[in-house]
Amino acid sequence: GKTHMSIALSDKLISRGMKPVWLDGEDFKKVVLAADSSFFEKETLVVDDSDFLFEHLQAGDSGPLVRFFELLRLNEVGLVLFSSKSIADLPCDDHVISRLKACAQMQIAAPDFESLQKVVDKMAKQRGLALGGRRLSFLEKRVSREIFEIENYLERLDHLSEVLGK
């Protein structure tokens, strides 16, 4: 869900004439540790799996990240971080935590029952699976509302359709 969301956000920013930079967590770590100032000319950094960097910061090693955050702020560069972990679950020191707590925070939750069919249909179409009304209703009754479980179910369904040729 968060990777799709980060890509969709980048696309939305582009459609509004902005020039976002999309990074995965590993690339973000490299940029921060290298103090890459080329990003200070951009409008927005969108970082997927940002927890990759936070998990690799040792206690007391927050200096480069805090400096990077400050330079982004001074250069008016937006920063959007996507993580599979909450701030409380990140192994960061108080300097980093205070910066993160100052940010807006949102959580991607499981779809409600009314949205489940639309979500399953969209995720199936992304995998090239065409599920009609009856098939969607069948699936809706058997799949968990958790995105991870829906993905697993659709992957199994895709595999079976390949193996059985249907």
Side-chain angles (χ1 to χ4, degrees):
K2 63 183 174 43
T3 298
H4 289 292
M5 179 86 157
S6 67
I7 292 169
L9 173 62
S10 296
D11 288 343
K12 185 64 114 176
L13 292 171
I14 290 168
S15 74
R16 293 185 176 195
M18 297 178 75
K19 297 175 184 145
V21 175
W22 188 93
L23 299 169
D24 66 15
E26 194 169 348
D27 289 336
F28 182 56
K29 178 184 174 192
K30 291 175 188 172
V31 166
V32 168
L33 295 179
D36 187 344
S37 62
S38 66
F39 289 94
F40 305 147
E41 301 164 8
K42 308 298 180 191
E43 294 172 338
T44 306
L45 294 182
V46 178
V47 183
D48 189 31
D49 293 324
S50 64
D51 46 316
F52 181 87
L53 168 65
F54 301 124
E55 289 175 354
H56 290 89
L57 277 181
Q58 301 297 318
D61 287 346
S62 62
L65 180 61
V66 171
R67 267 191 303 285
F68 191 79
F69 281 4
E70 283 303 306
L71 288 170
L72 290 176
R73 185 184 63 76
L74 291 171
N75 287 279
E76 299 180 346
V77 177
L79 178 63
V80 182
L81 302 173
F82 288 87
S83 173
S84 58
K85 297 186 176 189
S86 70
I87 291 173
D89 294 332
L90 296 173
C92 300
D93 64 25
D94 291 340
H95 290 100
V96 174
I97 295 296
S98 69
R99 296 320 186 273
L100 294 174
K101 284 185 175 179
C103 301
Q105 300 171 44
M106 292 172 254
Q107 183 178 5
I108 300 173
D112 58 18
F113 187 75
E114 292 77 32
S115 304
L116 183 61
Q117 200 172 71
K118 287 180 185 178
V119 169
V120 171
D121 186 44
K122 189 154 198 108
M123 289 175 71
K125 286 179 180 173
Q126 289 172 342
R127 290 161 176 75
L129 299 170
L131 303 176
R134 272 189 34 218
R135 291 181 181 136
L136 267 176
S137 294
F138 176 86
L139 199 77
E140 179 182 46
K141 294 172 188 163
R142 287 157 181 80
V143 71
S144 165
R145 287 188 15 227
E146 298 298 321
I147 297 295
F148 179 74
E149 294 298 326
I150 296 169
E151 284 180 331
N152 284 341
Y153 196 97
L154 291 172
E155 284 175 17
R156 288 193 314 267
L157 186 62
D158 188 36
H159 175 73
L160 285 173
S161 70
E162 286 180 26
V163 170
L164 299 174
K166 297 181 182 180

